[in-house]
Amino acid sequence: MEKILLVEDDSSIILGIKYSLEQEGFYVDIAKTLNIARNFIKDNNYSLLLLDINLPDGNGYDFCNEIRENSDVGIIFLTACDEEVNIVMGLDIGGDDYITKPFRVRELISRINAVIRRKKKLINYEEKKILKFDDLKIDTLAMKVLKKVKKSF
């Protein structure tokens, strides 16, 4: 089951999205503030973040930058900010997609599935580029061979 963190402060939107995603088989955590979201991210491994831009304790752009320092988790901005400059900025700073409110639920679910699919392919590719044999690791893209040194006493 894929885990999604919804970072949104509007209760009516939260109820609708949570219900729809759970009907599709997703597990959904809710964070109404960035501080709550940080705590969830510390303690959980998410497949995707649905991130609003305007939140009570900060903005989604800064939070996206913060997440991208340590993680490649899927991020979809879900926001009322529909100006081209906002969309371009959201994608340029590391968002995988950008959906403006109001939105269609089926389209949201399709975009979520597309981002998760792409992330899984990337993870599989990353795992395939490193070959392991006994105490050797061969990173085919970086052209490095690592050998684990066995200590003897």
Side-chain angles (χ1 to χ4, degrees):
M1 177 181 292
E2 303 292 342
K3 289 179 75 172
I4 295 175
L5 177 60
L6 173 58
V7 186
E8 169 67 58
D9 62 333
D10 185 322
S11 296
S12 60
I13 292 174
I14 290 170
L15 289 173
I17 292 174
K18 183 172 173 56
Y19 175 80
S20 298
L21 294 180
E22 286 176 346
Q23 292 301 305
E24 293 294 318
F26 295 104
Y27 177 85
V28 182
D29 281 331
I30 306 298
K32 290 188 173 186
T33 67
L34 295 177
N35 285 330
I36 294 170
R38 284 182 189 97
N39 289 330
F40 272 120
I41 289 171
K42 229 184 326 183
D43 300 331
N44 294 281
N45 188 20
Y46 292 101
S47 301
L48 184 91
L49 305 180
L50 288 174
L51 182 57
D52 193 3
I53 291 174
N54 298 313
L55 293 156
D57 59 344
N59 73 65
Y61 297 130
D62 292 337
F63 190 61
C64 180
N65 280 324
E66 184 181 320
I67 295 298
R68 285 293 176 244
E69 289 177 9
N70 303 310
S71 174
D72 198 31
V73 66
I75 296 176
I76 298 177
F77 285 102
L78 187 61
T79 180
C81 299
D82 62 354
E83 297 291 322
E84 181 182 21
V85 67
N86 298 106
I87 296 167
V88 170
M89 184 165 50
L91 295 171
D92 284 350
I93 64 171
D96 295 292
D97 205 343
Y98 193 105
I99 302 172
T100 58
K101 299 173 188 172
F103 57 89
R104 295 178 293 264
V105 173
R106 296 298 320 154
E107 180 181 351
L108 172 64
I109 291 168
S110 289
R111 288 174 181 255
I112 288 170
N113 286 327
V115 169
I116 291 173
R117 238 185 350 262
R118 283 193 304 268
K119 293 294 179 181
K120 281 186 177 178
K121 283 183 181 178
L122 181 63
I123 290 168
N124 287 339
Y125 175 74
E126 291 292 321
E127 288 174 353
K128 288 179 183 176
K129 76 173 190 167
I130 297 178
L131 307 172
K132 296 177 183 175
F133 181 74
D134 289 334
D135 59 349
L136 290 178
K137 282 186 183 179
I138 304 169
D139 187 334
T140 58
L141 289 180
M143 296 185 285
K144 291 182 180 178
V145 177
L146 303 170
K147 184 174 193 271
K148 185 177 182 180
V149 178
K150 296 179 183 178
K151 295 181 180 179
S152 59
F153 295 98

